[in-house]
Amino acid sequence: METRILWGKELAQATIQKVAQEVENSRNQGKRPPGLAVILVGKDPASQIYVSHKEQACKRAGIRSMGFRLPPSTSMDEMLNLIKDLNRKEEVDGILVQLPLPPHLDASPIIEAIDPIKDVDGFHPINMGKLALGDEGMVPCTPKGVMALLDHYGIEVEGQEVVVVGASNIVGKPLALLLVNRMATVTVCHIKTRDLASHTQKAQIIFTATGVTHLIKKEMVPRGAIIFDIGISRVRDKILGDADFEGLQGWAQAITPVPGGVGPMTVAMLMVNTLEAYKKRVGLER
Ligand code: GUN
């Protein structure tokens, strides 16, 4: 069996291009550009790279990005005051706080301080709650990017046995909800799951987001499975995924590569969410 590689790079580029076109149309009608505030606390090297990718995408999409790079010593009060300010700013449509935060900053009150209409990450309890109720407004970017890839490659999940490995608030949980909303039969596995392989062996589609290098191997999945690799780990300067990409060649029906698969879609979906927030706020919606 030839394993199909499900690239995300081209779709991400095309998506950003579409956002850029909509922004240009809006600008031609005399409107201000969309604005995205990106807050990065501390010097985590991976976060710095992600934030710079987000800022570069803003440039391509015609979105004005406002970067706030804060020292690791930033206090909760300083964070909450900054978010309050950004909530009030007319020209700011989206507010993103890059995670993880330093250990002394609890993410929950910070995320809850963001005006839900500006919550382009979709992490606010109101937006997560809506997602759980099947009202998909601001949906977290990585799971939304996965769904866009499923659609692009014509992969139907309704009625399928699917497994989500990893139950984070950022990826695993919202992804499981999106899949349930599409009527997939969803099993969520996580760090306390006793026998991971017993679940993945029954799945037609496996979504893995753990950051554990090569956790998912050929022996653990049925022949012809489709694998969405949402994990990222670094091993000696190399970026690797959760799936043993080489070992799964000729066994899996299809697999997303790392890098170049789901990753670029996260950034593209952030542009889509920012455009959506902007349209709501400037009253452009048809
Ligand atoms: N850290 C890892 N992924 C994400 C994301 O999608 N959004 C934010 N804000 N932080 C992250």
Side-chain angles (χ1 to χ4, degrees), residues 60-197:
R60 280 188 282 142
I63 292 171
R64 187 177 157 218
S65 76
M66 291 156 256
F68 296 84
R69 283 169 171 74
L70 307 178
S73 59
T74 304
S75 70
M76 180 60 85
D77 274 353
E78 286 169 315
M79 286 298 283
L80 295 178
N81 284 332
L82 172 58
I83 288 169
K84 244 190 244 164
D85 272 357
L86 295 170
N87 280 341
R88 276 196 291 260
K89 279 209 162 83
E90 189 59 42
E91 69 274 21
V92 173
D93 300 292
I95 303 170
L96 178 149
V97 178
Q98 186 65 27
L99 302 177
L101 288 166
H104 70 280
L105 289 175
D106 178 8
S108 299
I110 293 170
I111 290 167
E112 284 172 38
I114 297 171
D115 183 340
I117 203 176
K118 297 190 178 187
D119 170 38
V120 285
D121 258 331
F123 295 163
H124 191 286
I126 287 186
N127 289 320
M128 281 287 205
K130 283 187 175 173
L131 171 58
L133 297 171
D135 173 3
E136 296 173 7
M138 277 301 180
V139 171
C141 300
T142 301
K144 184 171 172 143
V146 170
M147 301 315 277
L149 276 175
L150 284 170
D151 291 340
H152 178 72
Y153 286 104
I155 301 167
E156 180 63 70
V157 298
E158 185 180 306
Q160 300 271 59
E161 290 281 343
V162 310
V163 167
V164 176
V165 187
S168 71
N169 292 338
I170 293 180
V171 181
K173 284 184 205 166
L175 177 58
L177 289 169
L178 284 163
L179 293 164
V180 170
N181 289 347
R182 290 214 186 170
M183 305 305 284
T185 301
V186 183
T187 300
V188 181
C189 297
H190 44 70
I191 195 131
K192 297 287 185 190
T193 297
R194 295 221 171 87
D195 184 0
L196 176 60

Side-chain angles (χ1 to χ4, degrees), residues 196-259:
L196 176 60
S198 71
H199 298 284
T200 53
Q201 264 153 2
K202 285 188 285 201
Q204 284 139 351
I205 312 175
I206 294 148
F207 302 87
T208 180
T210 68
V212 179
T213 309
H214 292 184
L215 173 69
I216 305 297
K217 298 186 194 304
K218 177 180 172 182
E219 305 76 57
M220 295 170 66
V221 308
R223 189 173 162 78
I226 298 173
I227 295 152
F228 279 80
D229 191 346
I230 316 162
I232 292 186
S233 47
R234 277 175 189 73
V235 180
R236 287 184 297 276
D237 279 356
K238 253 191 117 172
I239 307 274
L240 296 171
D242 285 3
D244 176 11
F245 187 83
E246 301 302 331
L248 284 154
Q249 293 302 314
W251 183 262
Q253 184 188 143
I255 186 167
T256 61
V258 177

Side-chain angles (χ1 to χ4, degrees), residues 258-275:
V258 177
V262 175
M265 292 303 295
T266 297
V267 178
M269 292 303 129
L270 175 64
M271 302 300 109
V272 170
N273 279 353
T274 304
L275 177 68

